[in-house]
């Protein structure tokens, strides 16, 4: 299967370029928290994640965090889904987006959630859109 580089994948996703511009890099979602995940049989399913940039600065014994945002992933045409270990708190070690433009999969996008604690899994969808709301979640 042919996979694209992650930065170029964001160029193909509506809202992806804006997200890269906000963070200044491709986010790895390390230590991000899944706020909610709504699945719809028909229509758009959504995944909302709180993420930020971690700086090299330390204040009061903790790394300074900046550019907090709630990232909104919207999936249409989910073709395959595998999820496990949803919990009261769901912290990500990494979130990876792959794209398969060569037709090796029947859907172009695959989002993999690698857990630190809680939810893990994979979502394959025909369409993926990304948005964000700057700031910490309410």
């Amino acid at each position: 299967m042919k996979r694209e580089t992650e930065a170029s994948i964001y160029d193909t996703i509506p809202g992806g370029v804006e997200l890269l511009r906000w963070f200044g890099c491709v986010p790895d979602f390390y230590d991000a928290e899944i706020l909610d995940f709504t699945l719809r049989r028909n229509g758009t399913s959504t995944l909302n994640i709180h993420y930020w940039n971690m700086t090299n600065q330390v204040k009061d014994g903790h790394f300074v965090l900046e550019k907090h945002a709630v990232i909104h992933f919207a999936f249409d045409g989910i073709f395959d889904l595998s999820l496990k270990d949803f919990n009261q708190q769901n912290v990500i070690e990494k979130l990876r987006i792959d794209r398969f433009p060569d037709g090796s999969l029947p859907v172009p996008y695959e989002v993999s959630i690698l857990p630190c604690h809680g939810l893990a899994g994979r979502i394959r969808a025909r369409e993926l859109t990304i948005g964000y709301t700057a700031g910490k979640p309410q």
Side-chain angles (χ1 to χ4, degrees):
M1 287 184 239
K2 181 183 174 194
R3 294 181 180 194
E4 294 183 28
T5 64
E6 231 173 339
S8 68
I9 291 170
Y10 280 88
D11 291 340
T12 71
I13 302 168
V17 172
E18 292 80 4
L19 186 72
L20 295 183
R21 209 174 290 134
W22 171 255
F23 286 116
C25 62
V26 175
D28 62 5
F29 294 94
Y30 179 77
D31 266 354
E33 185 171 6
I34 295 172
L35 301 173
D36 58 67
F37 194 6
T38 303
L39 293 172
R40 301 206 185 284
R41 191 172 59 174
N42 295 311
T44 303
S45 297
T46 58
L47 171 65
N48 293 303
I49 297 174
H50 174 217
Y51 185 65
W52 54 86
N53 278 346
M54 186 177 348
T55 69
N56 291 329
Q57 300 171 348
V58 176
K59 183 177 179 183
D60 299 326
H62 299 283
F63 284 105
V64 175
L65 307 176
E66 65 179 13
K67 295 196 173 188
H68 286 265
V70 175
I71 296 101
H72 316 285
F73 293 90
F75 302 92
D76 282 298
I78 291 179
F79 179 82
D80 184 35
L81 179 72
S82 174
L83 300 172
K84 66 178 186 173
D85 298 332
F86 185 77
N87 204 324
Q88 290 176 336
Q89 186 177 32
N90 299 281
V91 180
I92 296 173
E93 182 175 312
K94 182 173 177 66
L95 183 139
R96 187 179 74 218
I97 301 173
D98 289 306
R99 185 168 180 258
F100 301 92
D102 63 351
S104 57
L105 284 180
V107 295
Y109 295 105
E110 178 179 274
V111 175
S112 300
I113 300 168
L114 301 136
C116 180
H117 177 79
L119 186 67
R122 177 189 72 228
I123 305 116
R124 291 178 173 167
R126 289 182 180 83
E127 295 179 36
L128 175 61
T129 303
I130 300 173
Y132 72 92
T133 303
K136 294 180 180 180
Q138 305 250 351

